[in-house]
Structure formats: structure tokens, C-alpha cells
Amino acid sequence: MPFRFKTRTLLIAASLAGALGLAWVAFPKPPTEDSPLVALSSQDRSGRYRRGSAAFVRGDYAEARRQLAGLAASYPALAERIGLKLAVASGEGRRWLEAHPKSPLVPDALALLARQDRAALLPLLNGYPDHYRTREALERALVRDPDDHTLAGALLARFPESTLAYAMATRREKIGELSPAEWQLVASIYRRVNAKQALAAYERAPATPENLLERARLQRKLGDKPAARELYELVLRRFPESPLVLDAAFERAELLGAGEAFAALEPWERASAERGDEVLWARSQIAARRLDAPEMAIPLYRRLVERYPQSAKAPNAAWELAAQSAERGNTGAARSYARWLVRNHPADPFAPKAAFWLGKWAEQAGATAEARSQFREVLKRYPRSYYAWRSAARLGLADGSYNIDQSVVSVRWSQPPLPLAGTSAALRELLALGEISEAEQQWQSETYRCKLSPTQKLAESQLRARLGQHLRSINQATLTLFAEPPADPRAWEQAYPLFYAPGLRQWSQERNLNPLLVASLIRQESRFEPAIRSRSGAMGLMQIMPATARFIAEREPGQFELTNPVDNLRLGTWYLRYTHERFGGSTMLALASYNAGPGNVSKWLKRNPVTDEEDFIEQIPFKETRFYVVNIYENYWNYLRLYTSQGRKALAAIDGRTAMDGSN
């Protein structure tokens, strides 16, 4: 819908602009967008676009007009964007809006106009309430007028993640009395930043089940467990019909002794039939982990599988029953539970594991043909899993050595760029020009409130990678590709990238490490985010603890900054080499040590010497470390397939073998 300013508003804005020296509110005739240019090279044209855009951003509208005039003909895909910049730079922004009422750049235009005339904020707030341009406009307006309660309220309600939200919340609290609903809003902002402030604000907000739960969680975070327990019990007493009451019961149980918690949750199995599977699972974990009584968990697992066969926890319970049956020597029962899991929950994360162990148990029983058939089934159904690698090794289609540090691989470091499908010509043009930030703006405008197709999700993943948002890029690509495997297998490179390739290559070679092993570890540790910090304080690509960094620095002299990718790779590869040497060159033990520490691994080895590496991994006492080792080997299997001739040959052999085997 076209936007028209009131005459009085425009006159006021023009007067202010004259006083402040703002050029855009004068209305000279804009340069003609398609006026002919003297023949320019593509380099000159791209240079003019960059210089014009930079001038526009810094508010030098005269220079923006000079550089951008006539460029629309050279960049037809960007004609609308160039036209908007020229219109705003020439004081014709309102006319551009009238001429382009359905353009995805309307929010951009309104945000630009709102810099000088607050009247433009109203259609922006009404028409695009959660658009990133609306947030930017609100933030800019509040920097100028931080006491504007209306704008502050809009920012807090719509954009609590804004960097200004906390400042606005504290300012709003100091200025005057707040209603309970306003305290609720302020508390939700404080929760992200300051637990004590959030707790105080929640105490003045309405005493809803949601708020009482948040208060209990904050008390736990602050270390006051008795206060947290009282709040959980208050939810149970005052809101017995709330759907959150079971969450309160679960969280309260975590604060009780193991025996008391086990008994306290029992009545909830009957009281919450629709969530009975969660109750059974919670009680089974208390028995197995906290009471160290796995035999008490077995009937709970059975009841969960029998009563809630389609629940999300049923596969977990089925695998526990299979594993415990195998441990007691009852492989018949183990195979029965594993088959049930694969048949009823083929997409569950436990399914590849169950499918592989069906083959391994058959192998141990001497049923070679059945075992090989099962391993081929794993390759067919779960080709990118850790268990596919183990199955391929059993079938002689891949190297199955766990000591991949010793594997010689020739990595294809230089890869042709992946095609950017599902995007507009404007976005592709901006990327070709190297205008990455502007490309992101174009994408956000084009996809506002749109449901993205898988192709578009992969395109967004590529854009995030260009922006250095590696974690978001990898996670989005991984979810998209596993949900809908692509026709082009190279698309998987987005899920398993080789960011920071020069440093990765240099320091892997320097430490005599397999570079794909290092990449696999980095993908697991940080998703290639250089400045990421864990809750325990580990930092950077290879998630090095500061104390570990000091230990390394005593042996590897030189200044370092853990958020610097090169420094982090230098120290992290040193430590990975150190863990290999400490455990006799065993990559499997080195990885376990990297996660759990050398001391823990040494204790495990005393209790359970390595006779079968697959079995040893399954028996690692720390669940986090067990998954950590498996995930890194899974990463390695996928990196090998994507970036090496060995991997491609293994893939071709696997594809050929499964094709010949027909259904298997």
C-alpha cells in the first residue's frame, strides 16, 4: 500500500533538515537511472556501485548520486535497489514508495525515510512488525530519544534480542512505576543478561505457572536450591491443571535425593497418561544413573516400549533393553529389541546403531551371510552415519582403522563453487559484486514471512557461510540435507565444509596429523566458529581451555590469542598430537582424551583395556564423550567421501555393491 506523508509533517521535516544540513529532504530532480553511460569496463561499473553504496550508507548523498547515476542499465537485476538509493539521495523517497508499493524493498525505503521523519515508522511498525528493518529503525529512533515510552515498548515487545533492549528495560524501570504486564516484559529481557535483575522483575510480574517456573530456574542458576524447590512446589499446589505442572515435577525431582526423586515421580505416570513415557524415562534414568541400579530401570524400559511404542523415548528404551540383553548374553532378546527399533523407528538416531549391531551380533553367532546382508542394509539406509563406515569396513569397501591419524589422504582443497540455486538475480548480482552485507539485506527482504523451500534453505546456508556465520550455516545445511537428500551429492559440502583451509592445511602438516581428522574435530567442537566460547570456558575453533593453552604455551613458545583462528589451530593441533603420543598413537583414545581429559581415559583403560575398539567406545562411561568420539568418526567418514579420491572410490564401490544386491 503506497505511503503518503501529511503536508505539515513534510514541512516540519524540511525545516529540520535545513537546520541540520540534511540534503535528502530537498527535492531536486533525480538523475535519470537509465541515462547512457560512457562505455565502462565491468571493473569500473562494479567500482562505481561499491563507491556509490558506501557513500549512501555514510550519508554522502551527493557522491552517491554521482556514482550511481546511470548504473541501472548496467545492472538490470539491481535496478530497483539502485533506483531506491537514488530516490532517497535525491529527496524522492516518498515517490519511490508510491511507484513500488509491492516491492520487497518497501521496508528498506520506510526505514530510510524514518531516519528523518518519524511518521514513516508507523507504516513500518504496522505493516512489517517483525522485520529486521523495523528493529533498526526503532533502535535508531531510541538512540535519538531514549525516553520515548511508545517506541521503547515496541522494541521490548517485538525485539527482545536487540542490543538496546536491556538498556531500554533498565531505563524504563528507573523512570516510573510499571504495571505487572510491563514487569513481565522487563523480566523477559533481563533473563538474557542478569539473573538477579530478572528474578526481582519476575517477582513483580503476574504469578503465572510460566513465571513461577522461570523464577525457580533463576534461583537454581543463582545457587539457591531450597528457594527453587519451594517455587516448584508452589506451581504444583496452585496450578494442578496447568500443562506445565509436570515440567515443575521433573525439575523439582532433580533437586531431590535419588531415592526420593524416584518415588516422587511414580504417581505422575498415572496422573499424566499423555506424557507417561516421559515419566517412565525420567524414572529409568534416575535408577540407572543416580541410583546406579540398572536392573531397576529394565521394567520401566519395557513398560515404556509396550505402552508408548510410538513415543520419542521408545527407541531409547528399546536400545537400552537390547544393549542390556546383549551384555547378559541373551543375544536373541537383544536382536529382537533392535529389530523392533529399526522397524518402528527407522528415522530415529538410534536406528543406525541398532541396525549395525544386528549385523555384528549375527557375525558373532557365525551367521556370516546374515551379517553381511545387515551391513549392506546399514549402508543403504544410513550411508552417512558412523555405522555406515563400520559396515563398509566389515564388507571390505573402506579402511576401518580407528587410527586415522596414520591415514595418508590427498585432500581436494580447491573445490569449484556450489551453484546458488533458489535465489533472485539481484542477490546473485550482489554476491558477484562482493556486497555480502547488502546481499544479506536483499535476502531478508525477499524472504520476509516466506516459507523457504529446501533449495532456498541451502542457499541461505551458503549466504551465512559467506557472512562468516559458520555454526548457523552448517546446522541449517545439515538439517535440510538429512530431511531431503539432494540430487547433487556435492551439496553435502555445505554440511561438511573446510573453512580456514590454509591454516588447517598448514598446522595439520606441521603436526603430522590427518587434516580431515582435524576438520572433523573442529566441526564437532565449534562448527568452525572462531570466537565461540563454551559454558566451561573453552574457546575458539578447537575449543581450548585457557589452562590447557597455558600448558601448551610452556612447551610451544609464542604469543597467542585463542579467538584467532591461526593461533587456535596452532595450539589445538599441538594438543591433539600430544594426546596421540600419550596414548600410543591411538586416535580413538586421543579423541576421548581431548574431550574427557587424559586422567579419565587412563582410569577407563585400567578397568577396561581396549580389546575391541567398537566395544570400548560403547562402554565409555561419559555419555558426552561416547557421542563425541562417534560423531567425530562420522564427520571423518563424510569428509573422506567428499574431499578425497579414496572416499570417492569407496563410495563408488558401495553404490555398485548395493545396486547389485538389489533390495539389500
Side-chain angles (χ1 to χ4, degrees):
M1 182 175 67
F3 174 72
R4 293 179 173 82
F5 291 109
K6 293 182 180 179
T7 304
R8 177 177 173 78
T9 304
L10 281 174
L11 289 173
I12 293 171
S15 301
L16 285 171
L20 297 173
L22 299 172
W24 76 274
V25 272
F27 296 112
K29 184 178 180 181
T32 306
E33 294 172 29
D34 57 358
S35 58
L37 284 172
V38 177
L40 294 173
S41 69
S42 64
Q43 185 175 0
D44 289 336
R45 290 196 302 272
S46 62
R48 285 188 58 173
Y49 185 84
R50 293 191 194 96
R51 290 191 295 273
S53 296
F56 183 84
V57 169
R58 66 176 181 266
D60 186 351
Y61 290 153
E63 177 64 10
R65 291 196 302 270
R66 191 175 74 82
Q67 295 288 345
L68 296 175
L71 272 186
S74 298
Y75 295 113
L78 299 179
E80 197 167 72
R81 181 168 283 275
I82 292 170
L84 172 59
K85 291 177 180 178
L86 283 168
V88 172
S90 304
E92 295 288 342
R94 65 184 180 88
R95 293 183 186 174
W96 187 94
L97 279 167
E98 292 172 350
H100 302 82
K102 295 184 178 180
S103 169
L105 301 182
V106 166
D108 300 67
L110 289 169
L112 289 166
L113 293 174
R115 295 181 182 186
Q116 280 78 26
D117 191 329
R118 179 172 159 173
L121 265 175
L122 185 60
L124 194 57
L125 286 166
N126 291 338
Y128 307 90
D130 53 352
H131 198 284
Y132 83 100
R133 285 294 197 187
T134 306
R135 186 197 70 225
E136 289 178 358
L138 282 170
E139 289 171 342
R140 186 178 291 272
L142 283 165
V143 168
R144 291 199 304 263
D145 186 4
D147 293 326
D148 189 313
H149 298 311
T150 302
L151 295 184
L155 183 77
L156 295 177
R158 301 180 187 189
F159 304 102
E161 77 284 357
S162 166
T163 53
L164 270 184
Y166 178 75
M168 289 296 103
T170 54
R171 192 177 188 89
R172 191 159 183 174
E173 180 180 349
K174 290 175 183 176
I175 286 173
E177 290 295 324
L178 301 180
S179 68
E182 288 173 322
W183 278 114
Q184 166 75 35
L185 191 58
V186 167
S188 67
I189 304 297
Y190 287 164
R191 185 183 59 192
R192 301 167 184 266
V193 182
N194 188 306
K196 288 185 178 180
Q197 279 185 298
L199 186 60
Y202 272 122
E203 288 171 354
R204 301 186 181 192
T208 63
E210 294 83 359
N211 284 357
L212 290 172
L213 272 180
E214 286 300 333
R215 285 172 59 187
R217 290 162 183 163
L218 288 166
Q219 291 285 18
R220 289 180 69 178
K221 186 175 181 179
L222 293 169
D224 193 343
K225 292 182 179 180
R229 181 171 168 175
E230 286 181 17
L231 287 163
Y232 287 130
E233 290 168 354
L234 187 59
V235 174
L236 299 177
R237 288 196 308 273
R238 291 182 57 182
F239 302 98
E241 303 303 318
S242 169
L244 294 176
V245 70
L246 189 54
D247 297 279
F250 283 144
E251 293 179 32
R252 173 179 175 269
E254 294 172 4
L255 302 179
L256 303 175
E260 188 181 0
F262 186 81
L265 288 178
E266 183 178 12
W268 291 100
E269 183 184 342
R270 296 183 297 276
S272 299
E274 69 282 359
R275 294 179 66 184
D277 60 316
E278 296 177 55
V279 179
L280 284 167
W281 180 253
R283 296 187 73 220
S284 72
Q285 296 313 287
I286 293 171
R289 312 282 183 235
R290 295 174 61 185
L291 291 171
D292 195 21
E295 69 284 352
M296 287 178 63
I298 291 175
L300 299 171
Y301 292 140
R302 286 178 181 153
R303 202 149 68 236
L304 201 165
V305 170
E306 292 166 2
R307 294 184 183 177
Y308 306 95
Q310 297 306 313
S311 74
K313 292 299 182 184
N316 302 55
W319 175 252
E320 291 292 341
L321 288 168
Q324 291 187 30
S325 296
E327 190 175 338
R328 294 193 303 271
N330 189 349
T331 55
R335 292 166 72 180
S336 177
Y337 283 119
R339 287 195 192 98
W340 181 93
L341 196 166
V342 174
R343 183 174 62 252
N344 290 281
H345 296 272
D348 190 84
F350 277 98
K353 184 176 187 176
F356 170 76
W357 279 87
L358 277 170
K360 187 162 181 175
W361 289 325
E363 185 180 65
Q364 291 170 348
T368 304
E370 180 186 346
R372 292 181 67 82
S373 176
Q374 188 62 41
F375 294 140
R376 290 193 291 269
E377 185 68 14
V378 174
L379 283 173
K380 179 184 175 183
R381 299 181 72 174
Y382 310 107
R384 296 193 171 272
S385 69
Y386 159 80
Y387 298 99
W389 174 48
R390 303 314 306 156
S391 296
R394 287 295 203 294
L395 295 168
L397 301 175
D399 178 4
S401 172
Y402 277 94
N403 292 338
I404 55 179
D405 175 50
Q406 306 302 320
S407 302
V408 178
V409 293
S410 179
V411 179
R412 293 185 293 117
W413 293 101
S414 298
Q415 302 272 73
L418 291 164
L420 192 67
T423 59
S424 69
L427 179 72
R428 293 193 295 273
E429 191 72 76
L430 288 167
L431 289 173
L433 286 165
E435 294 292 314
I436 308 300
S437 179
E438 200 170 343
E440 181 187 27
Q441 295 170 4
Q442 180 76 25
W443 177 257
Q444 288 179 312
S445 295
E446 290 175 0
T447 58
Y448 177 64
R449 289 192 171 176
C450 293
K451 183 178 181 180
L452 300 184
S453 68
T455 300
Q456 289 174 313
K457 289 177 182 177
L458 290 178
E460 185 172 73
S461 168
Q462 285 180 266
L463 181 59
R464 297 212 177 282
R466 295 273 198 101
L467 290 161
Q469 300 170 3
H470 297 152
L471 184 148
R472 293 180 67 182
S473 172
I474 292 171
N475 287 349
Q476 180 161 333
T478 302
L479 289 171
T480 303
L481 291 165
F482 272 103
E484 188 166 328
D488 182 357
R490 283 191 57 217
W492 285 95
E493 291 170 17
Q494 289 181 241
Y496 297 92
L498 289 174
F499 297 131
Y500 304 105
L504 175 61
R505 188 175 187 178
Q506 174 193 345
W507 288 108
S508 296
Q509 186 174 3
E510 184 86 10
R511 310 299 189 198
N512 193 27
L513 291 167
N514 183 320
L516 297 184
L517 168 64
V518 179
S520 300
L521 184 144
I522 293 171
R523 187 184 186 276
Q524 176 65 23
E525 286 281 3
S526 69
R527 292 294 197 265
F528 290 88
E529 287 285 352
I532 199 168
R533 182 190 292 262
S534 73
R535 284 179 293 181
S536 62
M539 298 172 65
L541 295 179
M542 298 185 73
Q543 287 291 276
I544 304 169
M545 292 292 290
T548 304
R550 292 191 292 271
F551 168 82
I552 299 168
E554 292 173 0
R555 295 152 180 81
E556 175 78 0
Q559 297 295 314
F560 65 86
E561 174 55 58
L562 289 179
T563 55
N564 180 303
V566 174
D567 290 350
N568 199 283
L569 283 165
R570 178 171 66 87
L571 272 62
T573 52
W574 186 97
Y575 192 70
L576 186 56
R577 166 50 59 203
Y578 166 79
T579 57
H580 271 87
E581 292 174 355
R582 176 157 180 172
F583 292 101
S586 168
T587 297
M588 186 266 291
L589 296 177
L591 294 176
S593 172
Y594 198 98
N595 177 260
N600 282 315
V601 174
S602 296
K603 290 177 186 176
W604 301 338
L605 287 170
K606 288 179 181 178
R607 292 197 302 265
N608 180 30
V610 179
T611 54
D612 180 301
E613 286 161 307
E614 285 169 352
D615 288 338
F616 184 89
I617 290 172
E618 294 299 330
Q619 294 170 23
I620 290 176
F622 294 177
K623 181 179 178 181
E624 177 189 331
T625 304
R626 188 163 64 246
F627 284 130
Y628 178 86
V629 173
V630 166
N631 287 340
I632 290 178
Y633 279 122
E634 181 171 293
N635 290 345
Y636 180 76
W637 170 237
N638 285 290
Y639 274 113
L640 192 74
R641 288 155 50 105
L642 287 167
Y643 296 100
T644 71
S645 57
Q646 300 101 305
R648 291 199 305 278
K649 287 177 182 175
L651 184 59
I654 289 166
D655 288 344
R657 184 68 61 87
T658 54
M660 287 187 292
D661 288 339
S663 63
N664 289 330

